[in-house]
């Protein structure tokens, strides 16, 4: 009997990587996607999500998991907009004293939870708030391979980001 190898994970944040924000010299482009999912009018920034992200994410050799404060709302509001199926969602733990200590030390509040969720599996984390502190912590505390990929929140995921992710993920397939 041979063991099955689990696909690498891609933990995906929404605000920044998919919804660009922040100062830019020009306005962010907007995209029409047809009939809007229920509740889409509650967040006008949803029109900034390029529907091409869906096929590009689906083409990556990994299992995409929402790692965002949107939580289950990402499946309701964003996945249909970009043509993705329902994805797994990281459910964030309640804040604790450890989180306060981590914040003082410069560790992102998501870092511990993502390493725990991955449980040793190879993963890439795409976010606009990743720092060298997070990279160093993951290198010490995660038993598998990990790529912490910071995206410029002013532009969101770009061609160069997809190329870097695809190359790194294919190396660990």
């Amino acid at each position: 009997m041979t063991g099955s190898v689990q696909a690498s994970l891609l933990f995906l944040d929404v605000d920044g990587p998919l919804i660009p924000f922040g100062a830019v010299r020009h306005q962010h482009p907007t995209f029409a996607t047809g009939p809007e999912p229920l509740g889409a009018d509650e967040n006008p920034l949803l029109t900034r999500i390029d529907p091409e992200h869906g096929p590009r994410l689906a083409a990556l050799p990994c299992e995409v998991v929402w790692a965002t404060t949107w939580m289950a709302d990402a499946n309701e509001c964003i996945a249909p907009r970009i043509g993705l199926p329902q994805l797994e969602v990281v459910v964030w733990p309640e804040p604790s004293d450890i989180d306060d200590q981590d914040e003082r030390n410069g560790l992102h509040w998501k870092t511990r939870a993502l390493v725990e969720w991955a449980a040793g599996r190879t993963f890439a984390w795409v976010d606009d708030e990743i720092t060298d502190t997070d990279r160093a912590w993951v290198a010490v505390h995660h038993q598998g391979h990990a790529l912490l990929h910071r995206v410029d929140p002013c532009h969101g995921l770009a061609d160069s980001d997809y190329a870097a992710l695809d190359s790194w993920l294919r190396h660990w397939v």
Side-chain angles (χ1 to χ4, degrees):
M1 177 185 221
T2 60
S4 63
V5 176
Q6 291 182 306
S8 299
L9 299 167
L10 188 144
F11 292 121
L12 181 61
D13 185 30
V14 169
D15 296 311
L18 296 181
I19 301 176
F21 63 88
V24 292
R25 292 190 180 137
H26 53 78
Q27 285 191 331
H28 294 283
T30 58
F31 303 88
T33 60
E36 294 295 324
L38 194 61
D41 57 341
E42 295 174 16
N43 189 332
L45 297 182
L46 287 174
T47 61
R48 291 185 182 176
I49 300 175
D50 184 343
E52 287 303 308
H53 285 306
R56 294 187 83 175
L57 289 164
L60 293 172
C62 62
E63 177 186 337
V64 180
V65 177
W66 294 119
T68 173
T69 56
W70 283 73
M71 295 181 54
D73 288 344
N75 277 326
E76 294 177 26
C77 298
I78 297 167
R81 182 175 200 87
I82 61 176
L84 288 178
Q86 299 283 301
L87 303 175
E88 292 241 34
V89 177
V90 174
V91 178
W92 306 113
E94 291 297 318
S96 69
D97 292 340
I98 292 173
D99 296 323
D100 293 337
Q101 179 183 342
D102 286 346
E103 185 177 355
R104 285 190 299 275
N105 292 333
L107 189 68
H108 195 285
W109 62 269
K110 292 180 182 178
T111 308
R112 281 182 189 270
L114 294 179
V115 167
E116 184 176 316
W117 208 96
R121 283 174 70 180
T122 295
F123 75 86
W125 173 21
V126 176
D127 204 305
D128 60 304
E129 297 180 343
I130 293 169
T131 67
D132 288 340
T133 301
D134 301 302
R135 289 183 182 94
W137 194 92
V138 170
V140 170
H141 294 92
H142 180 61
Q143 296 174 0
H145 303 286
L147 171 68
L148 278 64
H149 186 82
R150 186 183 180 282
V151 173
D152 181 344
C154 293
H155 303 285
L157 277 164
D159 291 344
S160 59
D161 298 306
Y162 281 108
L165 289 166
D166 187 66
S167 175
W168 189 86
L169 289 163
R170 288 188 190 285
H171 182 76
W172 299 112
V173 171

XYZ file of all heavy atoms in Angstrom, residues 89-139:
421
model
N -12.046 27.189 5.025
C -11.864 28.484 5.670
C -11.130 28.278 6.988
O -11.530 27.429 7.786
C -13.233 29.159 5.955
C -13.054 30.479 6.689
C -14.021 29.353 4.667
N -10.074 29.045 7.206
C -9.413 29.015 8.508
C -10.314 29.769 9.479
O -10.684 30.920 9.229
C -8.022 29.675 8.464
C -7.414 29.756 9.863
C -7.094 28.924 7.521
N -10.684 29.104 10.557
C -11.462 29.735 11.618
C -10.462 30.197 12.671
O -9.713 29.388 13.229
C -12.497 28.758 12.213
C -13.253 29.422 13.354
C -13.457 28.285 11.125
N -10.440 31.489 12.898
C -9.445 32.076 13.795
C -9.810 31.827 15.245
O -10.968 31.945 15.629
C -9.318 33.578 13.541
C -9.036 33.870 12.107
C -9.860 34.490 11.222
C -7.863 33.526 11.373
N -9.269 34.554 9.986
C -8.038 33.972 10.044
C -6.667 32.880 11.697
C -7.072 33.797 9.058
C -5.703 32.710 10.711
C -5.908 33.161 9.415
N -8.817 31.493 16.074
C -9.096 31.286 17.500
C -9.395 32.620 18.184
O -9.052 33.691 17.671
C -7.797 30.673 18.028
C -6.742 31.121 17.074
C -7.419 31.275 15.735
N -10.021 32.520 19.337
C -10.274 33.714 20.139
C -8.938 34.320 20.575
O -7.983 33.583 20.834
C -11.109 33.362 21.371
C -12.540 32.970 21.055
C -13.328 34.098 20.420
O -13.199 35.264 20.871
O -14.068 33.825 19.459
N -8.859 35.645 20.658
C -7.614 36.282 21.108
C -7.215 35.790 22.501
O -8.065 35.486 23.338
C -7.963 37.774 21.135
C -9.123 37.910 20.202
C -9.890 36.625 20.301
N -5.904 35.721 22.710
C -5.394 35.242 23.992
C -4.213 36.102 24.437
O -3.763 36.984 23.716
C -4.944 33.782 23.857
O -3.781 33.727 23.040
N -3.703 35.799 25.622
C -2.521 36.505 26.126
C -1.316 36.283 25.220
O -0.467 37.161 25.075
C -2.184 36.046 27.548
C -3.246 36.488 28.549
O -4.009 37.423 28.241
O -3.307 35.887 29.645
N -1.239 35.097 24.607
C -0.137 34.806 23.686
C -0.193 35.767 22.498
O 0.840 36.248 22.039
C -0.180 33.343 23.212
C 0.141 32.414 24.380
C 0.789 33.106 22.055
C -0.031 30.943 24.063
N -1.404 36.071 22.020
C -1.541 37.014 20.908
C -1.002 38.388 21.277
O -0.363 39.050 20.455
C -3.011 37.132 20.479
C -3.557 35.838 19.926
O -2.814 35.125 19.235
O -4.735 35.542 20.190
N -1.269 38.822 22.500
C -0.743 40.112 22.948
C 0.782 40.103 22.945
O 1.419 41.058 22.500
C -1.260 40.447 24.352
C -2.759 40.692 24.385
O -3.333 41.028 23.323
O -3.347 40.550 25.474
N 1.360 39.017 23.419
C 2.825 38.892 23.426
C 3.357 38.862 22.000
O 4.355 39.515 21.688
C 3.239 37.634 24.173
C 4.734 37.419 24.213
C 5.105 36.121 24.911
O 4.318 35.550 25.642
N 6.318 35.666 24.667
N 2.701 38.089 21.127
C 3.124 38.020 19.729
C 3.102 39.399 19.082
O 4.027 39.769 18.353
C 2.233 37.067 18.933
C 2.495 35.604 19.243
O 3.528 35.292 19.864
O 1.647 34.778 18.852
N 2.041 40.151 19.346
C 1.933 41.491 18.764
C 3.078 42.374 19.222
O 3.681 43.095 18.415
C 0.586 42.120 19.137
C 0.352 43.455 18.462
C -1.000 44.049 18.775
O -1.819 43.401 19.442
O -1.233 45.196 18.343
N 3.404 42.309 20.497
C 4.534 43.105 21.008
C 5.845 42.692 20.338
O 6.738 43.505 20.138
C 4.645 42.961 22.529
C 3.590 43.726 23.298
C 3.881 43.754 24.801
N 3.914 42.434 25.412
C 2.841 41.767 25.847
N 1.649 42.302 25.731
N 2.980 40.575 26.401
N 5.956 41.400 19.984
C 7.169 40.885 19.337
C 7.153 41.046 17.822
O 8.096 40.640 17.146
C 7.364 39.414 19.701
C 7.688 39.228 21.160
O 8.247 40.111 21.805
N 7.312 38.078 21.709
N 6.064 41.583 17.267
C 5.985 41.826 15.834
C 5.477 40.649 15.015
O 5.539 40.671 13.791
N 4.943 39.618 15.684
C 4.415 38.454 14.974
C 2.964 38.721 14.592
O 2.169 39.172 15.418
C 4.508 37.208 15.860
C 4.203 35.878 15.193
C 5.293 35.542 14.166
C 4.092 34.768 16.227
N 2.615 38.443 13.334
C 1.242 38.649 12.857
C 0.298 37.726 13.617
O 0.650 36.587 13.933
C 1.160 38.362 11.351
C -0.083 38.877 10.731
N -1.300 38.270 10.895
C -0.303 39.959 9.940
C -2.230 38.947 10.235
N -1.642 39.978 9.649
N -0.903 38.197 13.875
C -1.867 37.412 14.657
C -2.320 36.148 13.930
O -2.824 35.214 14.567
C -3.068 38.269 15.054
C -3.863 38.811 13.902
C -3.678 40.014 13.266
C -4.964 38.181 13.249
N -4.593 40.156 12.260
C -5.406 39.051 12.224
C -5.630 36.961 13.425
C -6.464 38.741 11.373
C -6.687 36.652 12.585
C -7.092 37.551 11.583
N -2.133 36.047 12.621
C -2.527 34.857 11.871
C -1.464 33.746 11.894
O -1.775 32.581 11.659
C -2.779 35.206 10.396
C -3.970 36.074 10.134
C -4.096 36.342 8.624
C -5.254 37.250 8.300
N -5.316 37.518 6.845
N -0.223 34.098 12.150
C 0.900 33.190 11.926
C 0.772 31.871 12.691
O 0.877 30.796 12.100
C 2.224 33.895 12.264
O 2.278 35.140 11.550
C 3.415 33.048 11.883
N 0.571 31.943 13.990
C 0.466 30.714 14.795
C -0.684 29.829 14.301
O -0.542 28.618 14.185
C 0.222 31.042 16.263
C 1.421 31.455 17.030
C 1.045 31.706 18.499
N 2.155 32.303 19.186
C 3.098 31.620 19.807
N 3.050 30.303 19.832
N 4.091 32.229 20.418
N -1.827 30.453 14.029
C -3.011 29.683 13.615
C -2.776 28.981 12.284
O -3.217 27.843 12.086
C -4.229 30.598 13.538
N -2.082 29.632 11.355
C -1.839 29.012 10.056
C -0.873 27.836 10.170
O -1.075 26.794 9.529
C -1.330 30.044 9.052
C -2.342 31.131 8.692
C -1.728 32.135 7.712
C -3.619 30.539 8.128
N 0.155 27.988 10.972
C 1.088 26.879 11.170
C 0.360 25.703 11.827
O 0.546 24.550 11.425
C 2.320 27.334 11.994
C 3.140 26.151 12.472
C 3.177 28.286 11.154
N -0.479 25.986 12.788
C -1.248 24.917 13.429
C -2.203 24.261 12.427
O -2.311 23.040 12.366
C -2.045 25.492 14.612
C -2.785 24.436 15.389
C -3.490 25.014 16.600
O -2.876 25.842 17.315
O -4.653 24.636 16.832
N -2.888 25.063 11.619
C -3.843 24.541 10.629
C -3.123 23.657 9.615
O -3.628 22.618 9.225
C -4.541 25.706 9.940
C -5.913 25.422 9.427
C -7.094 25.689 10.067
C -6.276 24.851 8.170
N -8.149 25.299 9.282
C -7.672 24.782 8.107
C -5.536 24.381 7.094
C -8.351 24.276 7.015
C -6.220 23.872 5.996
C -7.614 23.820 5.968
N -1.936 24.087 9.189
C -1.174 23.326 8.192
C -0.725 21.971 8.742
O -0.587 21.016 7.973
C 0.035 24.126 7.721
N -0.483 21.893 10.018
C -0.111 20.624 10.675
C 1.015 19.892 9.937
O 0.946 18.696 9.690
C -1.338 19.727 10.820
N 2.040 20.635 9.567
C 3.201 20.029 8.918
C 3.141 19.980 7.404
O 4.146 19.675 6.757
N 1.980 20.266 6.820
C 1.877 20.250 5.351
C 2.613 21.447 4.751
O 2.719 22.516 5.349
C 0.406 20.335 4.913
C -0.327 19.036 5.074
C -1.801 19.173 4.786
N -2.124 19.406 3.388
C -3.376 19.546 2.951
N -4.407 19.467 3.789
N -3.611 19.760 1.673
N 3.105 21.261 3.550
C 3.715 22.356 2.802
C 2.644 23.409 2.542
O 1.520 23.075 2.164
C 4.285 21.829 1.475
O 5.339 20.918 1.782
C 4.810 22.951 0.603
N 3.007 24.688 2.742
C 2.036 25.748 2.479
C 2.698 27.029 2.000
O 3.856 27.298 2.300
C 1.152 26.036 3.700
C 1.814 26.802 4.827
C 1.849 28.189 4.828
C 2.379 26.123 5.901
C 2.433 28.898 5.872
C 2.962 26.812 6.956
C 2.988 28.205 6.939
N 1.899 27.779 1.245
C 2.232 29.159 0.889
C 1.167 30.024 1.546
O -0.008 29.651 1.585
C 2.219 29.356 -0.626
N 1.577 31.159 2.060
C 0.649 32.108 2.679
C 0.766 33.408 1.907
O 1.856 33.969 1.779
C 0.993 32.283 4.151
C 0.234 33.351 4.876
C -0.963 33.918 4.540
C 0.644 33.988 6.089
N -1.331 34.854 5.473
C -0.354 34.909 6.436
C 1.759 33.853 6.907
C -0.266 35.714 7.575
C 1.838 34.646 8.039
C 0.838 35.565 8.374
N -0.343 33.867 1.352
C -0.387 35.093 0.565
C -1.150 36.144 1.359
O -2.335 35.983 1.648
C -1.078 34.837 -0.801
C -1.204 36.124 -1.585
C -0.301 33.793 -1.592
N -0.452 37.220 1.707
C -1.029 38.271 2.546
C -0.252 39.557 2.288
O 0.865 39.511 1.770
C -0.911 37.853 4.030
C -1.940 38.514 4.930
O -2.015 39.761 4.936
O -2.656 37.783 5.638
N -0.837 40.670 2.671
C -0.147 41.950 2.501
C 0.508 42.431 3.791
O 1.089 43.508 3.819
C -1.117 43.020 1.979
C -2.279 43.265 2.919
O -2.990 42.291 3.243
O -2.479 44.417 3.337
N 0.427 41.642 4.861
C 0.962 42.073 6.152
C 2.075 41.175 6.680
O 2.457 41.271 7.840
C -0.177 42.143 7.179
C -1.231 43.164 6.819
C -2.370 43.234 7.832
O -2.515 42.287 8.645
O -3.102 44.228 7.815
N 2.607 40.314 5.856
C 3.676 39.394 6.273
C 4.981 40.164 6.471
O 5.316 41.039 5.676
C 3.859 38.291 5.214
C 2.617 37.396 5.170
C 5.113 37.468 5.487
C 2.577 36.451 3.981
N 5.702 39.790 7.526
C 6.989 40.435 7.806
C 8.085 39.375 7.969
O 7.809 38.177 8.023
C 6.924 41.262 9.110
O 6.756 40.363 10.215
C 5.796 42.291 9.071
N 9.312 39.840 8.110
C 10.431 38.928 8.361
C 10.277 38.217 9.705
O 10.748 37.094 9.863
C 11.761 39.688 8.320
C 12.139 40.093 6.898
O 11.615 39.480 5.942
O 12.952 41.028 6.748
N 9.605 38.847 10.659
C 9.350 38.203 11.949
C 8.495 36.955 11.751
O 8.758 35.897 12.337
C 8.661 39.179 12.927
O 9.510 40.321 13.105
C 8.378 38.529 14.272
N 7.472 37.053 10.901
C 6.617 35.900 10.606
C 7.425 34.800 9.920
O 7.292 33.618 10.261
C 5.441 36.309 9.712
C 4.580 37.379 10.355
O 4.065 37.135 11.463
O 4.439 38.459 9.756
N 8.256 35.190 8.958
C 9.070 34.201 8.240
C 10.002 33.460 9.194
O 10.142 32.235 9.126
C 9.866 34.884 7.132
C 9.010 35.339 5.975
C 9.868 35.961 4.853
N 9.022 36.433 3.795
C 8.575 37.678 3.691
N 8.934 38.597 4.577
N 7.784 38.030 2.695
N 10.641 34.204 10.084
C 11.573 33.584 11.035
C 10.828 32.646 11.986
O 11.312 31.536 12.277
C 12.316 34.666 11.821
N 9.661 33.048 12.451
C 8.883 32.217 13.380
C 8.439 30.926 12.699
O 8.563 29.839 13.270
C 7.683 33.003 13.907
C 7.043 32.359 15.096
C 7.324 32.593 16.410
C 6.024 31.354 15.085
N 6.543 31.792 17.213
C 5.728 31.020 16.420
C 5.329 30.703 14.074
C 4.780 30.076 16.773
C 4.371 29.746 14.425
C 4.111 29.443 15.760
N 7.960 31.031 11.472
C 7.512 29.842 10.739
C 8.690 28.911 10.479
O 8.567 27.688 10.612
C 6.797 30.240 9.424
C 6.554 29.021 8.539
C 5.478 30.946 9.727
N 9.845 29.458 10.142
C 11.027 28.623 9.881
C 11.389 27.774 11.099
O 11.842 26.635 10.957
C 12.214 29.496 9.474
